[in-house]
């Protein structure tokens, strides 16, 4: 297995570390870099991994995952670039930043890949969208696939579709949480106790998602099976359509995609 450095082991970085260890990587295969000493000590105690500074971590690794905020990425790459191994692969987890932008801060010819994970990765149920930079070959992208598979499903897309994919899956959990929140509040307004409404809404989303994923049937087919002509569900869906639910999702994902592009610029 490759030696992997995780520079910026926040919530997502730590989730990846935990997933990798659960999938068979050894603590010796990993080296982490974080800013706060207390966080470093907690990571050592939890996972038995080496925690050091970014430059030292990067110099030891075949693959360097950069999990810092987008506005910190350029500075981190400028720091670690001179110490990278000649055949190192640098993987960015930052939204919006193109591989060309990443490559511009690294030694010429450095292999780069771009990943957009989402928050369900914290429980091993995420989806990560990955794209290769100019010098990243299929074997190296396969390593990225192996790493991100430790926290869920991996989807490869051409880089020009990264911002669009992130608008669906990267931001997508927030849309789902908002829908759950709205359904809970609706139940409360109908007279349900909040605990009961919460339980009903949560499990309905879990069950519907599992049904769609496990049957592989188109969501429209599954929706039609719930919707009896002239029934309660038909009445409810009529209200959602009248209030423009499809147009709202289209506008929301376009806004997310455009904001990702702005961040990258």
């Amino acid at each position: 297995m490759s030696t992997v450095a995780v520079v910026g082991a926040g919530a997502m970085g730590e989730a990846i570390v935990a997933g990798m260890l659960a999938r068979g990587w050894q603590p010796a295969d990993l080296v982490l870099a974080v800013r706060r000493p207390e966080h470093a000590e907690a990571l050592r105690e939890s996972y038995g991994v080496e925690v050091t500074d970014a430059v030292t971590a990067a110099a030891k690794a075949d693959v360097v995952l950069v999990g810092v905020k987008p506005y910190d990425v350029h500075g981190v790459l400028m720091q670690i670039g001179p110490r990278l191994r000649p055949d190192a692969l640098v993987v960015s987890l930052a939204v919006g930043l193109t591989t060309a932008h990443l490559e511009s801060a690294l030694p010429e010819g450095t292999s780069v890949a771009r990943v957009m994970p989402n928050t369900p990765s914290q429980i091993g149920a995420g989806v990560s969208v990955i794209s290769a930079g100019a010098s990243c070959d299929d074997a190296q992208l396969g390593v990225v696939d192996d790493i991100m598979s430790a926290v869920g499903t991996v989807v490869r897309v051409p880089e020009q579709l990264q911002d669009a994919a992130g608008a669906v899956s990267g931001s997508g959990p927030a849309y789902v949480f908002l829908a759950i929140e709205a359904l809970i509040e609706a139940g409360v307004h109908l007279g349900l106790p909040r605990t009961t409404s919460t339980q009903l809404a949560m499990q309905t989303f879990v069950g519907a998602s599992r049904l769609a994923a496990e049957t592989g049937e188109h969501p429209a087919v599954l929706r039609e099976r719930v919707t009896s002509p002239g029934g309660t569900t038909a009445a409810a869906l009529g209200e959602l359509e009248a209030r423009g639910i499809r147009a709202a999702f289209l506008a929301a994902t376009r806004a997310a995609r455009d904001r990702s592009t702005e961040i990258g610029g």
Side-chain angles (χ1 to χ4, degrees):
M1 291 182 177
S2 302
T3 300
V4 178
V6 182
V7 178
M12 184 57 66
E14 186 172 350
I16 293 170
V17 168
M20 291 174 68
L21 292 173
R23 286 283 295 270
W25 270 267
Q26 299 301 310
D29 299 322
L30 298 167
V31 54
L32 279 55
V34 296
R35 290 179 177 175
R36 294 183 292 111
E38 62 273 21
H39 188 196
E41 188 55 36
L43 291 169
R44 291 187 190 99
E45 291 182 2
S46 296
Y47 304 109
V49 295
E50 179 183 358
V51 186
T52 182
D53 62 274
V55 174
T56 302
K60 294 184 175 186
D62 304 303
V63 182
V64 182
L65 298 184
V66 180
V68 300
K69 299 295 184 183
Y71 49 79
D72 289 330
V73 170
H74 188 84
V76 168
L77 296 183
M78 293 293 289
Q79 279 186 310
I80 69 174
R83 294 289 302 280
L84 289 172
R85 294 178 177 179
D87 58 349
L89 170 64
V90 177
V91 182
S92 170
L93 305 179
V95 65
L97 300 184
T98 66
T99 56
H101 177 91
L102 303 171
E103 289 161 354
S104 70
L106 293 166
E108 186 175 356
T110 301
S111 295
V112 166
R114 178 178 169 187
V115 177
M116 183 70 256
N118 66 4
T119 55
S121 298
Q122 296 174 32
I123 59 166
V127 58
S128 299
V129 182
I130 67 174
S131 302
S135 300
C136 179
D137 59 30
D138 284 344
Q140 290 174 313
L141 196 62
V143 173
V144 181
D145 198 318
D146 288 343
I147 292 170
M148 299 311 300
S149 292
V151 291
T153 300
V154 177
V155 178
R156 299 187 186 193
V157 301
E159 187 174 9
Q160 63 265 32
L161 296 179
Q162 266 278 351
D163 292 335
V168 174
S169 62
S171 300
Y175 315 152
V176 175
F177 299 146
L178 178 61
I180 295 172
E181 180 186 358
L183 190 56
I184 291 170
E185 293 302 321
V188 171
H189 280 285
L190 293 176
L192 290 171
R194 183 169 293 277
T195 54
T196 301
S197 189
T198 299
Q199 183 179 15
L200 292 173
M202 292 281 194
Q203 188 55 43
T204 296
F205 271 82
V206 170
S209 296
R210 282 188 58 191
L211 183 63
E214 293 180 15
T215 64
E217 294 190 274
H218 195 284
V221 174
L222 296 173
R223 173 181 54 77
E224 288 169 359
R225 288 182 185 157
V226 185
T227 311
S228 301
T232 58
T233 304
L237 292 176
E239 291 295 329
L240 289 173
E241 295 285 8
R243 284 161 172 74
I245 185 170
R246 295 175 192 269
F249 271 105
L250 180 57
T253 52
R254 280 179 172 166
R257 178 202 61 190
D258 293 348
R259 180 57 184 146
S260 179
T261 302
E262 289 174 4
I263 291 170

